[in-house]
Amino acid sequence: MNINLKLGAITAAETAALAGAKLLTLSKDAPTREITNFTTEIGEITRGTMFIVSEDNSLAEMMAAAKNGAYSVLCTKAPASLERIPDTAVLVCDDIDDALGRLAKAYTARGGHKTIALTGAKGKTKTGEFVYSVLEEMYKVHKATDVKGGRQSDAQMLFDIPADTDFFLVELKLRDKRDIARLADLIDCDVGIVTALKSGIDERSNLDVLSGLKQGGEIALSAEDDALSLICASDTRRRRYVSVKNADGALCAENIRELADRTLFDIAGEGVRIFDVEIHSVGIDNVYSALFAALVGLKYGIPDEKIKSGLKNFHSSSLGVGIYTVGGVTFIEDSSSATPESVQSGIDTLCDIAKLHDGSRKIAVVGDLRNFGQEMREMHEAMGEYIVSKGIDKLFTFGVAAEQIGIGAVRAGMPKDDVCGNLELFSPLKTAEAVAKQLRAGDILLIRVGRQNAAAEIIRYLKAYLEKQ
């Protein structure tokens, strides 16, 4: 595990206080030395590192950490003597994971961001994507999904929140009763959204997991969930309801019109009237998700037109495909196997989404196709021809074989200046930098690189680039 402190360095003494650990040292300077990162790997120690000692609490391990430059260590049992590590701050806690959790919660609270937590029996992920799309119209949003990895992963999740985050969006999934206390203690939320109350653990567990609601926070619920009316009758927390059937909710969907590929409706509430809202999804569950997102958007001052834009910019994802908007650019992240058929499907999805956004440019980043025959060159060139036939504006290829896609596209009429190839499989950042130079708000971008690590590196770079703009 490696953790970087994104909100600035803290001293060993501050770390001990926030983590609930006892600080031992023979050095007067050690408590004031600044910590910038944590690691469990001796080889990853740099200046400013706090080393997390393994369960055997070996003095030899602590000495090795100190020798490699660590000024402090976190352990569960103090060494018999500090004389072998006289310049090191030793932080002793009862449990490493508990200590990291306390530290993460207290430290990341300094960031000043708002936290939106989602839970429920179904629809959490879709609702989170709608909320993200609306908030992203005006704010910097950091999203963590499906939090179920355990206490150490929880701490990592909190430490990963960037310093400039306005909203932290987190999805809480319950596996058993132990998750309730763990997640409730971890998350101090400003808004908690319960998409559906029914649960296999117990009937009110989704509310219990949000017991960390901040002072003045509120819970958003569906007015049509019958179980809620009984359970929430005695709940003292502030509640706001969304509805598709009546006008009793804080926000209601009216005049719902379901078409083949989208849903249109109006949003009504006290002092609120947003006409002709459009989402590119069908089904009443998606209308609920959109209402939750609108509720959050209105709470935090997002104008009606930007709420409509955020809801329209959301696109439902198929298996293996992630669709989201960053910095005004719609990403289509396709992780399925790179067969000719699947790449064509990705191009088709790119074109379908672009049709919904007038004036959008279509940009494709594609990698080598998987081939099981002898027609490797012909197959790649044919893909280039297909890309031109679909009116793609910019093409970036990644990989040696994928270069033939570019060649096929140029032969089919795409201008050479609109094609950029990268043959260096171990340099995906070269592709990312080339794409970044061409991107502008409103573009629809397909990332269809069959190599997952390379695709992830390209996407990370582009997201960071767009968030800085």
Side-chain angles (χ1 to χ4, degrees), residues 397-400 421-431 451 454:
T397 64
F398 178 74
V400 177
N422 177 13
L423 304 180
E424 300 175 28
L425 291 176
F426 297 103
S427 300
L429 286 182
K430 182 177 178 180
T431 294
R451 301 171 187 272

Side-chain angles (χ1 to χ4, degrees), residues 358-384:
D358 294 338
S360 294
R361 296 190 307 167
K362 301 182 288 292
I363 302 175
V365 181
V366 296
D368 298 343
L369 303 177
R370 300 293 174 89
N371 182 35
F372 304 97
Q374 299 298 317
E375 299 80 18
M376 186 172 179
R377 177 186 293 270
E378 291 82 357
M379 179 180 63
H380 282 79
E381 289 187 4
M383 183 58 67

